[in-house]
Every structure is written in C-alpha cells, then in structure tokens.
C-alpha cells in the first residue's frame, strides 16, 4: 500500500508539472503570443496563428505516444516517465528564453512551433505511463480511483499555469507583461522539473510489467500488435476521448477568447472563472473515478457526456450576462461535467488493452484523439462564431463531438466490460 501511494503521488506530481507546462503555452497562446510572435497580422489572424502553433503539440502527441509507448512496453514504465518529464521541462524552459518577432523576425514563430512540438512529444508519452503505473501498482478493485489521480494533474497544472499568469497580468503593466512577465512561469518550469524527477526516481517498476518481463512475454513491436489484435479497442479509446477534449478546451481556452474578444471584458474575468472551476475538479475527478469502481466506467462516463451536452447551451448565455458570478457558475458546472467524464476515462481506456500492450495501445488511442479534439477545438469555435455570429453554432459543434464520445463508449469491447465486472465481483 505504501508503494502504491508513492507511485500515485509521483504520477500526480509529474503529470501536474507536465500539464502546467502544456497549459502555460495554451493560455499564453490565447493571450499574448499573437502580439509577440505574429505582430504583422491583424489581431484575429494573429490569435488564430498563435492557436495553430498551440495545435502543433497535439500533432506531436501521437508520435510521442508511439515512441514512448514502444519503449514503455519494451524497456519499462519508470524509465520512460523520467525521460518524458525531462523532455517537457527543457522545452518549456527554452520557450521562456525565446526572443520575439521584433528581435529575430520569422525565426521566432518557427522556433516557437518547434519547441511546442517537442512539448507535445513529452506529453504524448507521459499520460499513458502515469496512468498505467497507477493502475498496475494498485488494488484491481480500485483501478478507477487510482487511475484518476494522474488525471487530477490536468486541473492542478491548469491552476498553477493560469494562477501564475493571472497574478503577473494583474500586477504588471501591459508593457512589462508582454516584455518579460509572461516568461517567468516558463522559466520556473526548470525548477519544478527537478522536484518531479526527484520524486519519480524513487518509485519501483510496475509489478505487472516485471512479471511480463520475467516470463519473456514482452511484445517485440507493440504498436503493430495493437493494430492487429486490438482494433476495436483502439477505435473505442479514440472516439471516447474526442468529445471530452472538445468540451474541455471550449470550457477552458475558448472561454478566454470569447470573454476578451467578443464580450470585451478583462482577461482576469475568464482566468479567474476557469481557475475556480479547475479547483473544484481537484476533488471531483477522484470522486468520479471512485464512483466508476462502484457503478461502472461507462455509466459514470456517460453521465458526464449527457451533462456537458445539455450545459453547453446554458454556458454561453451565462457568459453573455457579463456578470462575474454567473460566469463563474458557467465555468464551474461545465468543469463538473468534464470531471464526470475525465475521472473514469483513464481506467476505461487502459483496461481496453492487455498488460503487454497497454502503454502503446492506451497512449495511441488517447493521443491521436487529441488531434481532432483539443487541437482544433478553439480554432473551430472561433471560426464558427466569426462565420455565423452566434454561439449556438459552437454549442452544436460541442454536442456533435460528445455524440462521438458516446459512440466510443457504446462500442467498447465486451472483454474490457467483462474485466471490469469481474473486478467488481471480487469486491
């Protein structure tokens, strides 16, 4: 039990730091990167281009999932988790040192895109390893709860990133924030990574992987075997994530764009609302993970899908009131529905694959979905509102994505469902 808690803590700290790095970029892209790296374009085009560089990471994440998933199934989970943390931390630190367009011209946005790509590689390998380590060390009857803790890294990282940017934005002048203030959180990543590495080197390798290794049963080409033997599981993992991603980035990133560009309100309004909602998720994600151990992964997951599909039609009208308390309500309820999906998501996806192929299969299914989910969600939302002049178009887009997620839950292989039921039967 002591080792299980240590592994869960190491996974939580590591994923929090990686998501801190990842969301730091996403938030900065929506707030300042357009002005710094694309100053020759009009404000809307500059913001869109900044979001395109943000989307580059989502393209890199499947590649990171393939590469690190392969080594995770071949070499071991622990070693790969140390490497992914280093990759993410170094690239984030370098972004903090990157000169803007005014200093080095077109090289600035190019280097920005390259470093964002490297960030995506690191995160692509991180998620699968952290979730799998939590599952494979713990009690099979508590897999939903244990696997939910790496998921908590998402709101934890978001809180750290948005809170720090929010404080700097509030205390510095516009000129100071654009000049050097935005760099501070990126440079701080270098220190935080050292903390994460110190924790991770102390954990032991997954006992289930060690057993596979001892038996000589490791897959030679894990990804090829996943594609050959688990196609339905891969499709289920891919589709089950799309709507979750689209809803999340609409509720956390597009809200910042909408509040500042459409409603003409201060950046701090959106940042603070999302910050409060993310704080609620710190407790809700493990709660929904635990509920999935009792009531089943799909049942809890689907409740979040339905909740988000309904709430998105209330979300924008509440924002349009320009009332801060109502904007907070909009963000909090939206992120509650996301927590209901995200809590059981990790165990749901990981349980679709056998131990010897789990790192590759779970990483591939999860990360590829990010390309058609979170990568383009803010861009599509921005374009839909610009084209149709109404948030109803954005809400319909979110509902369509959530319908795809419901499809993914429905087609989950019966073997995974049977495994979950067998686990519950031993409670």
């Amino acid at each position: 039990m002591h080792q299980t808690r240590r592994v869960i803590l190491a996974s939580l700290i590591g994923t929090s730091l990686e998501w801190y790095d990842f969301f730091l970029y996403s938030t900065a892209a929506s707030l300042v990167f357009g002005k710094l790296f694309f100053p020759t374009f009009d404000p809307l085009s500059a913001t869109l281009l900044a979001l395109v560089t943000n989307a580059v990471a989502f393209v890199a994440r499947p590649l990171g999932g393939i590469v690190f998933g392969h080594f995770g199934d071949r070499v071991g989970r622990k070693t790969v988790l140390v490497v992914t943390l280093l990759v993410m931390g170094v690239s984030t630190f370098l972004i903090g040192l990157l000169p803007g367009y005014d200093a080095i011209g077109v090289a600035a946005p190019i280097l920005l895109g390259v470093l964002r790509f490297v960030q995506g590689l690191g995160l692509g390998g991180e998620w699968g390893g952290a979730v799998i380590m939590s599952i494979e060390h713990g009690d099979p009857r508590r897999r939903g709860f244990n696997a939910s803790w790496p998921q908590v890294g998402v709101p934890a990282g978001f809180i750290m990133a948005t809170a720090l940017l929010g404080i700097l934005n509030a205390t510095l002048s516009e000129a100071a924030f654009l000049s050097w203030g935005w760099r501070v959180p990126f440079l701080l990543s270098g220190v935080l990574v050292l903390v994460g590495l110190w924790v991770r080197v102390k954990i032991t390798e997954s006992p289930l992987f060690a057993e596979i290794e001892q038996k000589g049963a490791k897959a030679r080409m894990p990804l090829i075997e996943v594609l050959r033997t688990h196609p339905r599981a891969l499709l289920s993992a891919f589709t089950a994530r799309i709507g979750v991603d689209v809803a999340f980035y609409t509720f956390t990133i597009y809200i910042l764009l909408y509040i500042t560009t459409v409603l003409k309100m201060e950046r701090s309004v959106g940042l603070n609302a999302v910050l409060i909602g993310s704080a609620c998720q710190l407790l809700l994600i493990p709660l929904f993970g635990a509920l999935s151990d009792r009531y089943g992964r799909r049942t809890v997951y689907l409740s979040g899908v339905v909740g988000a599909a309904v709430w998105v039609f209330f979300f924008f009208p509440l924002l349009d009131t320009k009332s801060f308390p109502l904007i907070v309500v909009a963000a909090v309820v939206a992120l509650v529905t996301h927590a209901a999906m995200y809590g059981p998501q990790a165990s749901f996806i990981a349980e679709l694959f056998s131990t010897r192929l789990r790192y590759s299969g779970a990483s591939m299914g999860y990360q590829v979905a990010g390309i058609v989910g979170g990568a383009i969600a803010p861009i599509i939302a921005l374009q839909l509102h610009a084209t149709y002049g109404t948030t109803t178009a954005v809400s319909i887009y979110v509902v369509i994505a959530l319908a795809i997620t419901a499809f993914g839950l429905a087609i989950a292989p019966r073997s995974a469902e049977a495994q979950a039921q067998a686990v519950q039967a031993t409670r």
Side-chain angles (χ1 to χ4, degrees):
M1 181 62 72
H2 177 70
Q3 183 59 219
T4 299
R5 290 175 180 171
R6 178 179 291 180
V7 168
I8 291 174
L9 178 62
S11 295
L12 172 59
I13 291 174
T15 52
S16 296
L17 294 178
E18 295 236 8
W19 283 108
Y20 163 81
D21 292 346
F22 195 78
F23 285 130
L24 193 58
Y25 188 102
S26 298
T27 306
S30 65
L31 297 178
V32 299
F33 281 175
K35 298 176 182 178
L36 294 173
F37 293 95
F38 304 97
T40 59
F41 294 85
D42 64 85
L44 177 61
S45 298
T47 300
L48 283 171
L49 288 170
L51 290 175
V52 168
T53 67
N54 180 52
V56 165
F58 290 87
V59 178
R61 281 166 65 174
L63 180 58
I66 292 171
V67 173
F68 291 117
H70 173 86
F71 288 105
D73 284 328
R74 289 289 302 163
V75 178
R77 304 0 182 165
K78 176 182 174 179
T79 301
V80 171
L81 281 176
V82 171
V83 173
T84 57
L85 190 60
L86 276 172
V87 168
M88 177 63 92
V90 171
S91 58
T92 303
F93 184 80
L94 292 176
I95 289 174
L97 298 176
L98 189 63
Y101 184 92
D102 291 341
I104 58 174
V106 72
I110 292 175
L111 290 173
L112 183 69
V114 170
L115 290 173
R116 183 56 168 170
F117 186 85
V118 176
Q119 274 193 325
L121 291 177
L123 191 63
E126 164 71 22
W127 179 85
V131 165
I132 290 167
M133 285 287 277
S134 298
I135 283 179
E136 294 182 347
H137 270 87
D139 185 342
R141 296 170 297 181
R142 294 167 60 86
R143 280 183 167 179
F145 178 70
N146 291 342
S148 69
W149 283 103
Q151 304 285 76
V152 175
V154 172
F158 193 90
I159 287 171
M160 289 191 293
T162 54
L164 193 50
L165 278 175
I167 291 171
L168 291 168
N169 181 53
T171 56
L172 297 176
S173 66
E174 180 79 7
F177 183 73
L178 290 175
S179 175
W180 59 268
W182 69 270
R183 298 180 184 275
V184 174
F186 286 87
L187 298 176
L188 183 60
S189 176
V191 178
L192 296 176
V193 164
L194 295 178
V195 177
L197 289 174
W198 179 76
V199 174
R200 284 197 166 172
V201 296
K202 292 180 175 293
I203 62 176
T204 60
E205 181 57 87
S206 157
L208 296 185
F209 176 80
E211 184 179 342
I212 292 292
E213 191 172 39
Q214 187 176 13
K215 292 179 179 179
K218 292 187 295 184
R220 294 187 61 185
M221 296 295 292
L223 180 60
I224 301 300
E225 197 167 332
V226 166
L227 293 171
R228 181 171 57 84
T229 62
H230 292 68
R232 186 174 174 183
L234 205 56
L235 179 62
S236 176
F238 169 75
T239 51
R241 186 183 172 221
I242 289 176
V244 185
D245 235 21
V246 169
F248 179 76
Y249 282 91
T250 300
F251 295 150
T252 59
I253 300 300
Y254 180 65
I255 185 178
L256 303 179
L257 296 171
Y258 186 77
I259 285 175
T260 56
T261 62
V262 178
L263 301 182
K264 307 298 183 183
M265 299 179 72
E266 294 294 326
R267 286 184 299 223
S268 59
V269 174
L271 286 172
N272 291 334
V274 174
L275 194 62
I276 294 170
S278 296
C280 295
Q281 284 197 310
L282 294 176
L283 296 176
L284 290 173
I285 289 175
L287 172 62
F288 285 116
L291 289 174
S292 76
D293 287 325
R294 179 174 292 273
Y295 299 108
R297 315 285 185 239
R298 286 197 283 192
T299 300
V300 177
Y301 207 140
L302 188 59
S303 70
V305 171
V306 174
V310 172
W311 186 251
V312 73
F313 290 100
F314 294 90
F315 181 72
F316 289 107
L318 286 172
L319 299 185
D320 290 339
T321 65
K322 295 188 178 182
S323 165
F324 179 68
L326 292 180
I327 290 173
V328 170
V329 170
V332 168
V333 177
L335 290 177
V336 168
T337 66
H338 175 262
M341 297 182 282
Y342 208 58
Q345 184 186 74
S347 51
F348 172 81
I349 292 177
E351 287 174 342
L352 293 173
F353 304 94
S354 58
T355 301
R356 62 195 297 268
L357 302 173
R358 185 168 288 145
Y359 206 138
S360 294
S363 295
M364 188 62 178
Y366 184 88
Q367 302 300 349
V368 171
I371 298 177
V372 295
I376 58 177
I379 299 172
I380 290 179
L382 198 63
Q383 288 285 45
L384 283 172
H385 188 268
T387 301
Y388 296 101
T390 173
T391 55
T392 302
V394 181
S395 298
I396 292 172
Y397 162 57
V398 173
V399 169
I400 292 173
L402 289 167
I404 295 173
T405 287
F407 169 77
L409 297 176
I411 66 169
R414 289 189 175 275
S415 57
E417 186 73 11
Q419 179 183 4
Q421 291 174 352
V423 168
Q424 292 176 15
T426 62
R427 295 179 72 248

